[in-house]
Amino acid sequence: MIPSPCYVLNEKDFRKNLTLIRSVQEEAGIQIILAFKAFALWSVFPIVKEYITHSTASSLYEARLAVEEMGNKAHTYAPAYSAKEFDEIAKLSSHITFNSISQFIKFYDKAKEQNISCGLRVNPEFSEVSTDLYNPCAMGSRLGVTAHQISQKLPEGLEGLHFHTLCESNSYDLEKTLHIVEQKFGHLFPNIKWLNMGGGHLLTHKDYDTQHLITVLKQFKAKYPHLHLILEPGSAFAWQTGDLHSTVLDIVDNGGIKTAMLDVSFACHMPDCLEMPYKPTIRNAYEATKGKPTYRMGGNSCLSGDFYGDWSFDKELKVGDTIIFEDMLHYTTVKTTMFNGVTHPSIALLTKDNEIKLLREFGYEDYKSRMG
Ligand SMILES: Cc1ncc(COP(=O)(O)O)c(C=O)c1O
């Protein structure tokens, strides 16, 4: 029995993604690591570890999770490190990418003491991502060093470069980006050991041309055989692997606009729907259609904009009906809040034997403990 509300991760679909990701890694001869920022359900890391060994961390806590639950030091990149946290981050990381030369200079001695492989994030000033919120190369971006900020040589001690410019992108976007990275930063390649191509590679999407990706990576490797290539996708791991189950608590009508009031919130539990924004798929519902029962879905926070619409259904909705938001595993559980004290959805695994295993329930203490 699935409780409501609840995120449900489907093990079979998850393993399908992991299998594909591992096969790309092996065929292309590169390393693919999991970006925790998109997916960090550590109780299923034993499954992840059957396929992928390493992860990328964007903070001290993610780095600690890498060591504690993946059993390996993290490839860490954060927009800025604080002196207070850096020592611990260094102990938990094998690679640390700096966002600026000044941060590298500030922390290099400490990183060296821990035998960290240091890298620099570069900004190729080219991205196919059209939503500025998700575009690291938007005008004035704070993320990464542009080509004109680096002289002919990298400072002593930097042995890797990192770029992240993609978001739910395909291999053709990567190919274009790689050409530009090569034009702008290729002169630095002879003196580095690794190149991290960031995330945003949606290689588990049904239309993703993985063979083309493998070809692009192999060609690149043939040109620069000394470079260890790393991809750090997040979404691709959890893409289409599970849903958010919710329940209709009430139905309100204002001037003919009907809203199904749910026990979940877009603001708290599906934030990208409002931020990107995008309209999620609801199982057994479709685009608003004249003549069909049509509803907005209303979130249970007091934020006026905590709703999305409209969907049509074959039958009128009623209190107690289940509403299933599909593909709600990436960038959800890692981003949820308890704004308004709303109940956080439980997290469950639908095992390969079709059993529901409850991984986590949340209660009042989870809310209270963050407030004091
Ligand atoms: C530096 C970096 N690496 C990896 C990722 C993961 O990207 P995605 O989940 O789109 O694959 C992100 C996402 O923002 C990122 O900023």
Side-chain angles (χ1 to χ4, degrees):
M1 172 77 177
I2 299 170
S4 181
C6 187
Y7 295 100
V8 183
L9 172 68
N10 184 324
E11 183 179 348
K12 282 186 205 156
D13 293 334
F14 192 45
R15 283 186 184 274
K16 212 159 69 190
N17 284 357
L18 287 161
T19 304
L20 184 133
I21 289 167
R22 180 177 60 187
S23 74
V24 170
Q25 166 171 272
E26 284 169 1
E27 260 195 76
I30 56 142
Q31 186 180 19
I32 304 187
I33 62 181
L34 164 65
F36 282 172
K37 66 189 84 197
F39 181 86
L41 292 189
W42 55 268
S43 43
V44 300
F45 287 178
I47 300 175
V48 175
K49 284 193 281 185
E50 290 177 35
Y51 303 84
I52 291 287
T53 53
H54 286 76
S55 50
T56 179
S58 25
S59 60
L60 170 59
Y61 295 163
E62 285 190 356
R64 189 168 156 188
L65 194 66
V67 171
E68 281 183 10
E69 300 296 337
M70 286 291 283
N72 275 311
K73 288 188 175 182
H75 290 236
T76 304
Y77 160 75
Y81 300 103
S82 73
K84 198 169 70 179
E85 291 187 349
F86 192 82
D87 285 340
E88 214 183 329
I89 288 180
K91 285 192 191 114
L92 298 163
S93 308
S94 57
H95 296 66
I96 294 185
T97 295
F98 295 89
N99 188 58
S100 66
I101 305 262
S102 52
Q103 279 254 305
F104 167 70
I105 291 169
K106 182 166 180 182
F107 292 114
Y108 176 53
D109 286 344
K110 288 186 170 199
K112 201 168 152 190
E113 269 170 35
Q114 299 288 336
N115 276 326
I116 306 283
S117 183
C118 293
L120 183 68
R121 176 165 176 170
V122 293
N123 173 357
E125 299 171 274
F126 170 82
S127 172
E128 296 277 45
V129 177
S130 51
T131 307
D132 272 357
L133 186 63
Y134 293 94
N135 181 1
C137 301
M139 266 285 281
S141 170
R142 73 196 191 289
L143 304 171
V145 175
T146 58
H148 79 270
Q149 292 172 311
I150 305 179
S151 57
Q152 277 314 94
K153 259 183 79 197
L154 284 170
E156 189 70 32
L158 276 171
E159 50 187 44
L161 289 180
H162 177 296
F163 67 88
H164 168 78
T165 58
L166 305 176
C167 178
E168 298 192 359
S169 306
N170 61 34
S171 57
Y172 298 88
D173 295 328
L174 173 65
E175 190 175 30
K176 278 189 237 163
T177 308
L178 265 182
H179 281 310
I180 291 175
V181 169
E182 216 179 340
Q183 273 167 21
K184 295 195 168 181
F185 304 100
H187 62 286
L188 305 171
F189 291 176
N191 295 318
I192 56 167
K193 295 181 178 163
W194 51 268
L195 178 66
N196 184 325
M197 302 184 188
H201 317 272
L202 199 49
L203 35 93
T204 49
H205 188 284
K206 62 178 178 23
D207 298 329
Y208 195 101
D209 187 347
T210 48
Q211 278 315 314
H212 177 251
L213 173 70
I214 291 165
T215 305
V216 167
L217 292 170
K218 277 186 162 167
Q219 281 171 352
F220 195 82
K221 256 188 99 66
K223 253 175 123 175
Y224 305 103
H226 71 290
L227 282 186
H228 175 62
L229 303 183
I230 305 162
L231 305 188
E232 50 174 34
S235 299
F237 282 85
W239 186 253
Q240 297 286 359
T241 59
D243 314 311
L244 175 57
H245 290 236
S246 67
T247 301
V248 177
L249 301 178
D250 192 14
I251 293 169
V252 298
D253 186 332
N254 180 350
I257 295 176
K258 286 191 205 164
T259 302
M261 307 290 274
L262 305 175
D263 60 354
V264 289
S265 154
F266 289 95
C268 304
H269 311 136
M270 299 173 273
D272 283 354
C273 295
L274 299 182
E275 286 177 14
M276 187 79 170
Y278 81 96
K279 186 177 183 182
T281 300
I282 293 179
R283 190 163 307 158
N284 301 326
Y286 35 91
E287 282 303 311
T289 306
K290 240 182 156 182
K292 292 284 185 187
T294 299
Y295 300 86
R296 281 182 180 175
M297 295 295 132
N300 61 347
S301 82
C302 67
L303 177 74
S304 310
D306 190 358
F307 71 88
Y308 216 107
D310 297 316
W311 287 267
S312 288
F313 295 79
D314 281 338
K315 286 196 304 207
E316 296 284 348
L317 289 181
K318 52 185 192 320
V319 171
D321 280 352
T322 298
I323 298 290
I324 300 176
F325 292 94
E326 296 192 346
D327 194 24
M328 274 300 161
L329 262 295
H330 46 95
Y331 291 103
T332 50
T333 47
V334 286
K335 275 183 143 186
T336 52
T337 72
M338 286 191 161
F339 176 50
N340 279 210
V342 293
T343 304
H344 192 291
S346 304
I347 302 172
L349 178 70
L350 174 62
T351 69
K352 56 185 186 330
D353 307 315
N354 286 328
E355 278 164 17
I356 286 288
K357 190 169 151 197
L358 210 51
L359 302 177
R360 179 75 154 90
E361 285 175 291
F362 297 85
Y364 172 64
E365 285 307 326
D366 293 300
Y367 167 71
K368 189 180 174 191
S369 62
R370 292 184 54 206
M371 303 298 151

